[in-house]
Amino acid sequence: MSTLLEVSGVSVSFDGFKAINNLSFQIADAELRAVIGPNGAGKTTFMDIVTGKTRPDEGRVIWGEKSVSLLRMSEAQIAREGIGRKFQKPTVFEGQTVRENFLMALKKDRGVLSVLLFRPSKADHEQVDALAEEVGLLAELDRLAGELSHGQKQWLEIGMLLAQEPRLLLVDEPAAGMTPEEREHTSKLLVQAAKTRAVVVVEHDMEFVRRLNCKVTVLHEGGVLAEGSLDHVTSNSAVIDVYLGR
Amino acid sequence: MRTSFIAKNPSVLVFLLALASFTIIVTILSEGFGIGVISTSFIKTLGKTLCLCLIAVAMDLVWGFAGILSLGHFAFFGLGGYMIGMWLMYERTRLIVTEALMQGQIPPTGSEVIDSIGSQIFGVVGSNEFPLIWTFADSLGLQLLLVVLLPGILALVFGWLAFRSRVTGVYLSILTQAMTLALALYLFQNDSGLRGNNGLSGLQNLPGVEAPQSIVSMWFFLASAMALGLGYSLAAWIVSGKLGSVLRGIRDNETRVRFLGYSVEGFKLAIFTLTACIAAIAGALYYPQAGIINPAEIVPIASIYLAVWVAIGGRGRLYGAVIGAGFVSLISTWFTGGQAPDIPLGFYTIRWVDWWLVLLGLSFVGVTLFAPKGIGGLFDLLKKKEGKA
Ligand SMILES: Nc1ncnc2c1ncn2[C@@H]1O[C@H](COP(=O)(O)OP(=O)(O)OP(=O)(O)O)[C@@H](O)[C@H]1O
Ligand SMILES: [Mg+2]
């Protein structure tokens, strides 16, 4: 398997506080990875850097077979390169229907003129139906996204990510605020998604991480503290000290 | 799955029918084409109101849908007026001057005519030279092109600078006000090339046209109605599809739209520029009916009124903007025209000419606080009731 994303030696500080400190991280095509770590470890900031929201002070972020640097690209360009992101707080377009949310996310030309002239074809509607079915929102397609429950919004956001057909999916705390059944559904979705693309999941819930059954990276104070199987990292004494022990 | 645009947007049909009925009724009642119940000056007021409704539709597109609170769209409106005004004034002066010179013994040379037009137009600002910006004033076609081109380019350059640096919210509004103010102050100067605070006048007279004002006013009234119908349909079509989704997405959460891969800046720039062009067309139809344009029309407060109309009518529903602009500007004419009866309180007399703005301000505050959906929100209530019955 080839490396899809390589982050090396990245640091970023906010007003002198080093949120990310010489972080290096790699992920391969079609790999599922969990990222855990205490509050403030820099997990969200790591995603901000990869998606272009935050510019690092130093380091490299290299993407794809052609090894292009993501650091010069805008957020929208990075998204079009094939990196999709789910935010920690569910963010869907509440004033629009579930269908409109999906249609906006579908992988299509993003230019102003093509968007103006776009009219969904039968195939597009079928794809939306299939996605909605996958995330369990088929019955809600014509409801306003704002009327959905918290868990449903999270799924909608995951569904929109899948609609973008990204090669790398960054998912920040997808299970927060979900009931146990909803969590199970969510973990299945992510495992399924990772069969065809790389997926990075940030999550605090160990039960959830165990179900993902994948390699785990532990972040602490902006750097990688440990990496390996869940059992491997949870038996690491440093990890127990800073994260699990509390 | 394919349903026609009108079928999916019945409100557009309703609007167009209402506009058509209004136009027909006014035509029948007009002095020029009908039985003469409505005076020519009121026809002009109605025609101008339709132009204000058109710029309000543009404002709703850019603010109500895309969430960009531009407080500068009246600048584009005014520029559109200036561009058409230049041709109207030039051509009319040329006809008058040529006729006068023809009285003489020897037919005038071309440069004599030009010089004479120059001193006629620019005498008030102590000059008789044609400024550079009048280069195309002798060509109706080119000036019509400039009606959209000049405001369009200004919007494009301004928008590119502002959006590229990700200026949003209040800061963007302030920036658009600054642009408007700068433009107005520039135009107030005598050497701006557009006759300073005198502005352009006599625009109600179409050069070479013998028809009386009662007829000309009807032409402009009908043209304004047509422009509003077209502008409204265009706006409704734009927001009915995915572009509408993306614009509303930008309004509600622009970061999220960005992470979906849309370059938010490009979309903002496109809608800002497009609406500036619509505003300019509205202005080009308005000022020949007003007869005069001067820099006072472009002062920052004008653009703020525009936002107030749209807010009172209800944002993000197009017809709300039309209702707001039509309703408020018509009553405003009534109040400020001195027709509204004063209210004697004994110790003090409320004279509406002075107090109308206070009333308008209070209604704006009231709408913002208690009815954020504006007058258009009433239609939602009606729909809900129908749904229940
Ligand atoms: N824009 C910012 N300005 C200043 N400080 C920031 C900014 N973004 C993040 N930080 C700080 O950087 C540190 C890392 O934050 P980050 O959000 O990445 O943590 P996290 O690992 O996602 O935590 P959590 O589990 O609570 O979501 C925190 O101390 C946070 O306060
Ligand atoms: Mg976080």
Side-chain angles (χ1 to χ4, degrees), chain A residues 92-93 96-108 110 118 120 124-143 145 148 152-165, chain B residues 242 245 256 260 262:
Chain A
V92 294
F93 300 105
Q96 308 197 38
T97 63
V98 173
R99 190 190 302 280
E100 284 172 313
N101 272 274
F102 274 123
L103 282 172
M104 230 191 292
L106 278 190
K107 187 175 181 182
K108 297 280 167 191
R110 291 325 200 202
F118 174 84
D124 295 330
H125 281 295
E126 280 166 9
Q127 197 185 347
V128 167
D129 287 353
L131 283 163
E133 169 125 57
E134 190 175 351
V135 298
L137 291 174
L138 193 54
E140 325 291 341
L141 271 177
D142 291 311
R143 280 179 67 193
L148 300 179
Q152 286 174 319
K153 282 182 198 165
Q154 301 265 35
W155 289 334
L156 173 56
E157 203 177 349
I158 293 174
M160 287 167 71
L161 276 187
L162 297 175
Q164 281 175 262
E165 298 175 24
Chain B
K242 191 158 97 168
S245 264
R256 189 73 186 86
L260 281 177
Y262 294 96

Side-chain angles (χ1 to χ4, degrees), chain A residues 14 17 19 38-45 88 173 204:
Chain A
F14 299 113
F17 168 74
N39 293 113
K43 305 180 296 291
T44 301
T45 310
Q88 190 160 346
E173 305 204 18
H204 280 296

Side-chain angles (χ1 to χ4, degrees), chain A residues 35-41 43 173 202-206 209 216-220 225 230 233-234 236-246:
Chain A
V35 174
I36 60 174
N39 293 113
K43 305 180 296 291
E173 305 204 18
V202 165
E203 191 46 72
H204 280 296
D205 177 19
M206 281 303 158
V209 174
V216 176
T217 300
V218 185
L219 287 194
H220 177 55
L225 186 64
L230 185 59
V233 298
T234 48
N236 179 319
S237 63
V239 175
I240 295 174
D241 274 355
V242 304
Y243 188 38
L244 304 170
R246 296 174 311 150

